[in-house]
């Protein structure tokens, strides 16, 4: 996967971790602490489960490396479950059983509930992806639809008017969708304009860079390959550090629905 599961046996230094787990509030899972999981349907893959209901999330996130001949053969998702895959590196073939698409780095596919997603590595070298699933909250008169695209076709938005913080919206702003997936990128030295507090929850996988993240009013170092879970109402903000490479992450957000009583 580039950052995890590459070392065997003893490592340098003491047993230590940057990881922080505050169930139902927030969590940081460093890339060097992730372990491989076996999930039925995935073959020739290194797969780590990231956010999940056991952590307090209303979704499940995965980071997966598809090796040569790696695939999801049984169909991911299905009745009531919507799915999204984002290709970090390599080349992936995705299919709903009728139509195939080949995604390269920056490419993504969203399948609405009831549509199973089949995946296979489209090259001999490894392909790394971020994968997401969530139960769909239907809204009368609206429905979601399949989206297959790449961020290279999208125009970034200046996040809240800041030229050094860019946002990509991967899905339409349409009431048929009860979630969206975004990429947020901070140039070195840039950050959120204020500490955010909101009802939405996030699962974020860091694609590049280094930074500091404020979670529940405590600052933590984060870097490429880390995963962050942020529950509803946890205080949150980030700024990028380092030179040259922006701090960027892909993350989910629930939206377009009134909270239920």
């Amino acid at each position: 996967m580039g950052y995890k599961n590459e070392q065997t046996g003893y490592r340098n230094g003491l047993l230590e971790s940057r990881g922080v787990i505050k169930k139902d509030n927030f969590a940081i899972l460093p890339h060097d602490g992730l372990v491989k999981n076996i999930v039925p349907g995935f073959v020739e893959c290194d797969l780590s489960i990231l956010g999940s209901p056991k952590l307090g999330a209303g979704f499940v996130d995965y980071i997966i490396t598809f090796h040569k001949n790696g695939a999801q053969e049984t169909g991911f998702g299905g009745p009531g479950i919507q799915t999204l895959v984002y290709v970090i590196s390599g080349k992936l073939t995705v299919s709903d059983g009728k139509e195939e698409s080949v995604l390269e780095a920056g490419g993504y596919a969203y399948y609405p509930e009831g549509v199973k997603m089949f995946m296979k590595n489209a090259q001999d070298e490894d392909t790394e992806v971020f994968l997401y699933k969530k139960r769909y909250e239907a809204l009368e008169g609206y429905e979601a639809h399949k989206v297959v695209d790449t961020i290279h076709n999208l125009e970034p938005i200046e996040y809240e008017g800041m030229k050094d913080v860019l946002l990509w919206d991967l899905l339409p702003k349409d009431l048929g969708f009860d979630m969206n997936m975004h990429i947020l990128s901070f140039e070195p030295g840039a950050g959120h304009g204020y500490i955010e507090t909101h009802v939405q929850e996030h699962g974020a996988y860091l694609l590049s860079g280094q930074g500091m993240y404020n979670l529940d009013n405590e600052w933590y170092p984060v870097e490429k390959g880390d995963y962050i879970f942020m529950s509803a109402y946890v205080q949150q903000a980030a700024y990028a550090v380092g030179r040259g490479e922006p701090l960027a992450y892909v993350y989910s957000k629930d939206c377009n629905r009134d909270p239920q009583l």
Side-chain angles (χ1 to χ4, degrees):
M1 290 187 191
Y3 316 104
K4 57 196 75 66
N5 300 323
E6 293 181 340
Q7 296 172 304
T8 58
Y10 292 109
R11 304 181 185 183
N12 294 329
L14 299 172
L15 290 173
E16 56 191 6
S17 173
R18 291 183 293 106
V20 182
I21 308 296
K22 305 288 185 181
K23 287 187 176 181
D24 302 315
N25 191 11
F26 72 89
I28 299 173
L29 306 183
H31 54 79
D32 59 359
L34 297 180
V35 299
K36 301 176 185 178
N37 302 118
I38 295 175
V39 175
F42 289 88
V43 297
E44 297 298 326
C45 294
D46 288 343
L47 180 153
S48 293
I49 298 172
L50 304 171
S52 77
K54 289 186 176 182
L55 188 60
F59 53 81
V60 183
D61 284 331
Y62 312 75
I63 187 71
I64 307 173
T65 295
F66 288 82
H67 301 302
K68 183 178 180 180
N69 299 320
Q72 209 299 335
E73 299 179 321
T74 57
F76 183 72
I81 304 298
Q82 59 192 320
T83 60
L84 189 146
V85 64
Y86 176 84
V87 178
I88 297 171
S89 63
K91 188 181 296 186
L92 185 77
T93 299
V94 296
S95 171
D96 59 6
K98 299 177 182 178
E99 182 180 16
E100 279 192 354
S101 302
V102 178
L103 308 176
E104 299 190 15
Y108 60 93
Y110 167 87
Y111 283 7
E113 67 89 14
V115 180
K116 286 192 173 183
M117 180 184 292
F118 299 86
M119 294 168 273
K120 59 183 178 182
N121 194 354
Q123 60 179 21
D124 290 341
E125 296 78 18
D126 287 350
T127 290
E128 186 176 32
V129 309
F130 179 70
L131 183 64
Y132 164 96
K133 70 178 181 182
K134 176 183 175 293
R135 186 165 294 280
Y136 180 66
E137 184 180 345
L139 182 65
E140 186 176 358
Y142 297 90
E143 62 180 19
H145 56 83
K146 183 169 73 171
V147 178
V148 180
D149 209 339
T150 172
I151 62 166
H152 305 299
N153 290 336
L154 306 179
E155 284 293 328
I157 302 164
E158 292 180 358
Y159 187 71
E160 299 193 342
M162 296 181 288
K163 295 184 181 299
D164 50 4
V165 184
L166 298 179
L167 175 73
W168 288 258
D169 295 324
L170 274 58
L171 297 179
K173 294 181 178 179
D174 181 316
L175 290 180
F177 295 84
D178 70 345
M179 55 78 60
N180 208 326
M181 191 73 70
H182 312 274
I183 292 178
L184 192 59
S185 177
F186 303 85
E187 290 299 318
H192 284 92
Y194 55 94
I195 303 291
E196 295 185 354
T197 308
H198 49 64
V199 68
Q200 292 84 11
E201 61 177 357
H202 300 313
Y205 185 77
L206 274 64
L207 301 171
S208 65
Q210 295 177 315
M212 298 294 295
Y213 224 103
N214 185 308
L215 297 163
D216 205 14
N217 276 336
E218 296 287 341
W219 287 98
Y220 300 95
V222 293
E223 65 184 16
K224 178 180 179 179
D226 289 352
Y227 176 80
I228 306 173
F229 165 64
M230 292 164 267
S231 71
Y233 295 110
V234 66
Q235 297 99 322
Q236 56 195 259
Y239 65 83
V241 301
R243 296 180 177 88
E245 189 176 50
L247 173 68
Y249 50 84
V250 55
Y251 70 103
S252 62
K253 178 181 71 179
D254 48 302
C255 59
N256 298 334
R257 297 295 185 267
D258 191 15
Q260 298 298 306
L261 295 176

